[in-house]
Amino acid sequence: MDVTTEAKQIMVQALSKMYSSRTQRGGLRLHRSLLLTLVMKSARDIYHSARLTSEKTGQSDTHGVTESTSQAEEPMDTTSSTTTPLRATATQAIEDGQRSGLEGHSHLHEPAGLTVDKENCNPARMDRHSRKRRSKTATEPDFLPCKKAKLEFAEVRGILQASQNNSANCGRALDSLSLVPMPRTIVTF
Amino acid sequence: MVSGAGGGGNDVQWCFSQVKGAIDDDVAEADIISTVEFNHSGELLATGDKGGRVVIFQQETENKSQPQCRSEYNVYSTFQSHEPEFDYLKSLEIEEKINKIRWLPQKNAAQFLLSTNDKTIKLWKISERDKRPEGYNLKEEDGRYRDATTITTLRVPVFRPMDLMVEASPRRVFANAHTYHINSISVNSDNETYLSADDLRINLWHLEITDRSFNIVDIKPANMEELTEVITAAEFHPHQCNTFVYSSSKGTIRLCDMRASALCDKHSKLFEEPEDPSNRSFFSEIISSISDVKFSHNGRYMMTRDYLSVKIWDLNMENRPVHEYLRSKLCSLYENDCIFDKFECCWNGNDSVVMTGSYNNFFRMLDRTQRRDVTLEASRESCKPRQVLKPRRVCAGGKRKKDEISVDSLDFNKKILHTAWHPQENIIAVATTNNLYIFQEKVN
């Protein structure tokens, strides 16, 4: 399997596991949440470096690390969106998450170790290639739910289509997702 | 009969002794065994389950006339240790699952154990009653009070034997000291204190005092966004009452000395092994997380269990793979959540062999002196009395030999997470999902 595809799949699964652990009996497990966060970070880093490598081999030089036109609909432009899990239950979990709020641990606005990940957000480089506004990319790492997360329908659709876990529920999930404002935090400790 | 100090991994032939639990393939969630522990003499074996119950088995006194018939473990006491609770403030349910049981050394006729769920530790007293007073003056035998006017004589009540009754009563409840989920408890060698550890903190308790505990380790960062590791297990040194270790999700172990300072955030010694860069994968962080740490009985070594291996630490660290064939399957194991399974490990009585569980109801014995390993299976198929267990082999790839099982055929739902070794004899207790298997050394 292509490294970038594998990385994406792992990230999607991590998010889905994080969402489902919110509804687990006994509350959110700090250890598990931390491990999932670390896996996401690992996958994201590997994804980034794999994309950089493929860029350097001259696939295309007009696209940022988060976009590629060589493949159909793969806008990993997640500064303003999240790689959302595809199951319909994820939507429910989001709503639950918003309702339950603090779960005995202080909020993590961004998963541990990923706060304003400067090494991965090189503003200068981003500027050259990305079509995103500079301020956004400079402060917000990719693949993370950002504080001002704004779900852009087209981007989510693209992610969902590109992901190998597409299921028949995709369309339904999308509809509900576009109506529900994304939570500020995914991982709460 | 007794092999002496429980030695030998591969010299010993293991045979089936008993199995406890329902035979049903449909496992009730409450019956899932979550902890197994022998007491200090090995006479008692306790299990805890997801339903919050504790079951204690007792070894029958040996039948001298039949030396071949090794003593069996039979149910001694069963009680509900923890109930599900609800934390209204945080809107969270607190599971009743028993995470750990630890026995106290026996001081008098009664037995004491500590059992814990995610938030509360309880001290239980288990005592026997085999006689009762009879012949009260003011009460009938059934307890009803007699009409005082009908009493014309006085007699002295006497104790008469009765059927053995084993009573379990909660003597102490140690609550409200943990914000996060308790993963370990460990009784100190001073027999007065014990520690309890959650993801971020370790507390020291006095067994007599329930309304207060001392925080001795706190790794919670000021800003939770900076959290990079959590505490996964902790244990007191078996002889040095000032020393304890705790393991982390990063694969490190810290040895702490309580004499150094009140708060033991700064370790006396840090043990870690740098990762082999050729093994680096998406899952490196998950698989290096330590799920269990155990001192050897003599206190000279520590053993840790991470996802793929057992490591024995002192100045020279021994690294023993448990199921290395899983390394190439980490992606699927991540998908089905098995990569988050927390395996425990244990030492035999003379610290020459260590044991840990694996998948497909396999468990592994790793001999330290002879550097040989064996894989055995706990299954209903090998349940005939004194049936010798055959070593199992897993074929990692390529041509599968006869009697080997291929990695892809392993049942990952059948996992052995909890195992215990009798402190003196070659008797082991191995917990599958909802059954407890007892194996013993073959005697001729």
Side-chain angles (χ1 to χ4, degrees), chain A residues 3 6-7 10 13-14 17 25-32 34-36 38-39 42-43 46 102-113 115 189, chain B residues 84 90 92-96 118 179-181 199-200 220 224-230 232 249 280-283 285-286 289 331 334-337 340 342:
Chain A
V3 166
E6 197 183 355
I10 287 169
Q13 284 172 358
K17 288 178 199 292
R25 261 189 99 208
L28 220 53
R29 303 257 153 196
L30 185 63
H31 186 198
R32 186 182 162 89
L34 179 67
L35 291 179
L36 286 169
L38 294 172
V39 163
S42 250
I46 292 172
L102 266 174
E103 287 178 292
H105 310 290
S106 45
H107 267 296
L108 248 201
H109 289 293
E110 280 157 27
T115 46
F189 289 120
Chain B
K90 297 171 189 169
L92 270 185
E93 192 179 6
I94 300 168
E95 270 192 289
E96 67 276 31
D118 283 337
T179 311
Y180 302 95
H181 297 101
D199 293 311
L200 297 178
K220 184 177 179 187
M224 277 298 274
E225 297 180 25
E226 291 159 22
L227 182 74
T228 54
E229 69 182 323
V230 296
T232 52
S249 55
R280 176 114 196 112
S281 77
F282 289 109
F283 309 108
E285 279 89 7
I286 302 183
S289 178
C331 206
Y334 165 72
E335 207 174 337
N336 65 16
D337 263 4
F340 297 102
K342 297 181 182 181

Side-chain angles (χ1 to χ4, degrees), chain B residues 174-206:
Chain B
F174 304 91
N176 302 318
H178 287 279
T179 311
Y180 302 95
H181 297 101
I182 297 174
N183 52 54
S184 316
I185 46 175
S186 177
V187 183
N188 204 347
S189 51
D190 66 7
N191 214 0
E192 286 187 348
T193 57
Y194 74 95
L195 63 75
S196 59
D198 66 29
D199 293 311
L200 297 178
R201 297 190 178 101
I202 301 179
N203 293 332
L204 181 71
W205 300 84
H206 192 283

